[in-house]
């Protein structure tokens, strides 16, 4: 082949796993270098944006007949928040279960671990504050039609519909899928939007538990007196947080890092 043909072939080939690892790791390194204030504002924006997953899903549900397939169409609304956050480069906690963990696994020192834990704490807190603020806006009287308000109330209880361990397992699958999405995006190229839509849609129609999208719903349930703060923390927040972290860190970050660790050490 000519040099031009080799270049064209390289442009159309799927990146090697090591290349994807380095792209995601560099994103993580850049996030670790950001000031806490920048992380907090970006995390707040992400929390507010994720509220649209709750709102649009409820709006679609309100417009559809009460049938067995309604959630398959309404689930498309759940994707909206993920599209805004990921394409808008806002800081989402469940993305960081992969991005900032790869630098930790690569360097294996406290100088990387401590900033990673700081990022997790700041971003998680800011994300949740954003979702609570969005839920409070949804409670303003007269903004939405009664059928939408009813759909919001129904969806608000979904994050607290299972017991502790079933919620952990649903959250594990959600964390696994979102971290896989982050891993896939560097090679998705022009299909980035489709990749986000497809994976977040699977999370929606499978009724999996996502700590940030679910926080808007659960917070709305508390504000509408359908659930207590204890329900929010014990039935939703703690099991979902545990599952998302385990799914993102152990099933994606550690496994995908292990797949290229020997190559990284060889090149070093």
């Amino acid at each position: 082949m000519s040099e031009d043909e080799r270049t064209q072939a390289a442009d159309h080939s799927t990146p090697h796993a090591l290349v994807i690892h380095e792209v995601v790791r560099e994103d993580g390194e850049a996030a670790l270098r950001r000031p806490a204030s920048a992380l907090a504002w970006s995390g707040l924006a992400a929390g507010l944006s994720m509220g649209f997953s709750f709102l649009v899903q409820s709006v679609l549900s309100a417009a559809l007949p009460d049938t067995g397939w309604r959630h398959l169409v309404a689930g498309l609304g759940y994707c909206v928040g993920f599209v805004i956050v990921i394409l808008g480069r806002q800081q989402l906690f469940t993305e960081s279960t992969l991005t900032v963990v790869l630098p930790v696994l690569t360097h294996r020192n406290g100088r990387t671990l401590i900033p990673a834990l700081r990022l997790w704490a700041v971003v998680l807190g800011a994300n949740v504050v954003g979702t609570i603020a969005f839920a409070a806006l949804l409670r303003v009287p007269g903004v939405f039609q009664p059928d939408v308000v009813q759909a919001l109330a129904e969806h608000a209880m979904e994050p607290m519909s299972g017991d502790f361990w079933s919620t952990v397992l649903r959250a594990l699958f959600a964390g696994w899928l979102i971290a896989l999405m982050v891993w896939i995006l560097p090679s998705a190229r022009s299909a980035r939007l489709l990749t986000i839509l497809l994976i977040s849609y699977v999370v929606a129609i499978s009724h999996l538990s996502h700590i940030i999208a679910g926080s808007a719903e659960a917070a709305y349930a508390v504000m509408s007196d359908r659930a207590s703060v204890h329900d929010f923390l014990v039935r939703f927040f703690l099991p979902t947080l545990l599952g998302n972290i385990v799914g993102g860190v152990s099933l994606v970050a550690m496994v995908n890092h292990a797949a290229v660790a020997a190559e990284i050490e060889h090149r070093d």
Side-chain angles (χ1 to χ4, degrees):
M1 287 193 299
S2 67
E3 190 63 31
D4 280 347
E5 288 171 332
R6 289 194 183 95
T7 301
Q8 290 176 32
D11 289 341
H12 287 83
S13 64
T14 302
H16 188 276
L18 182 59
V19 175
I20 296 174
H21 180 283
E22 288 305 291
V23 170
V24 177
R25 185 186 64 80
E26 281 296 329
D27 282 347
E29 298 274 10
L32 291 176
R33 291 191 294 267
R34 297 185 71 185
S37 58
L39 291 172
W41 283 111
S42 183
L44 179 65
L48 289 166
S49 297
M50 287 302 298
F52 284 104
S53 288
F54 175 36
L55 173 59
V56 179
Q57 187 177 26
S58 299
V59 170
L60 290 176
S61 290
L64 294 168
D66 187 8
T67 63
W69 49 263
R70 181 170 69 168
H71 74 288
L72 297 177
V73 179
L76 292 169
Y78 187 84
C79 307
V80 172
F82 288 94
V83 171
I84 296 170
V85 167
I86 295 170
L87 294 185
R89 303 289 291 177
Q90 297 169 351
Q91 202 76 44
L92 185 65
F93 174 76
T94 45
E95 284 188 89
S96 68
T97 58
L98 174 65
T99 54
V100 303
V101 171
L102 291 187
V104 173
L105 293 173
T106 301
H107 300 299
R108 300 180 188 178
N109 57 48
R111 288 180 298 175
T112 310
L113 176 61
I114 293 172
L117 294 176
R118 180 206 64 157
L119 181 145
W120 272 14
V122 171
V123 171
L124 177 61
N127 283 172
V128 173
V129 169
T131 59
I132 293 173
F134 193 95
L137 291 174
L138 296 180
R139 290 289 300 159
V140 176
V143 177
F144 300 105
Q145 296 297 318
D147 57 343
V148 175
V149 174
Q150 179 60 33
L152 285 167
E154 291 173 0
H155 281 291
M157 293 303 296
E158 287 185 7
M160 295 171 284
S161 60
D163 60 31
F164 186 93
W165 290 110
S166 64
T167 302
V168 169
L169 187 56
R170 291 204 303 265
L172 184 148
F173 283 118
W176 188 353
L177 283 169
I178 298 303
L180 279 175
M181 177 177 66
V182 176
W183 181 265
I184 292 169
L185 284 175
S187 60
R189 294 173 180 160
S190 60
R192 286 173 61 86
L193 176 60
L194 180 61
T195 301
I196 298 166
L197 289 171
L198 177 62
I199 294 182
S200 57
Y201 180 68
V202 172
V203 174
I205 64 174
S206 303
H207 301 289
L208 303 181
S209 299
H210 185 270
I211 187 67
I212 308 306
S215 286
E217 299 169 354
Y220 187 92
V222 173
M223 293 177 191
S224 58
D225 296 324
R226 288 174 170 260
S228 66
V229 174
H230 179 271
D231 292 329
F232 179 94
L233 293 174
V234 177
R235 294 175 56 192
F236 160 69
F237 194 84
L238 292 178
T240 304
L241 180 62
L242 174 61
N244 283 173
I245 290 174
V246 171
V249 173
S250 65
L251 296 178
V252 180
M254 294 180 68
V255 171
N256 287 344
H257 175 77
V260 299
E263 294 176 79
I264 293 173
E265 292 176 4
H266 178 70
R267 295 192 179 193
D268 290 342

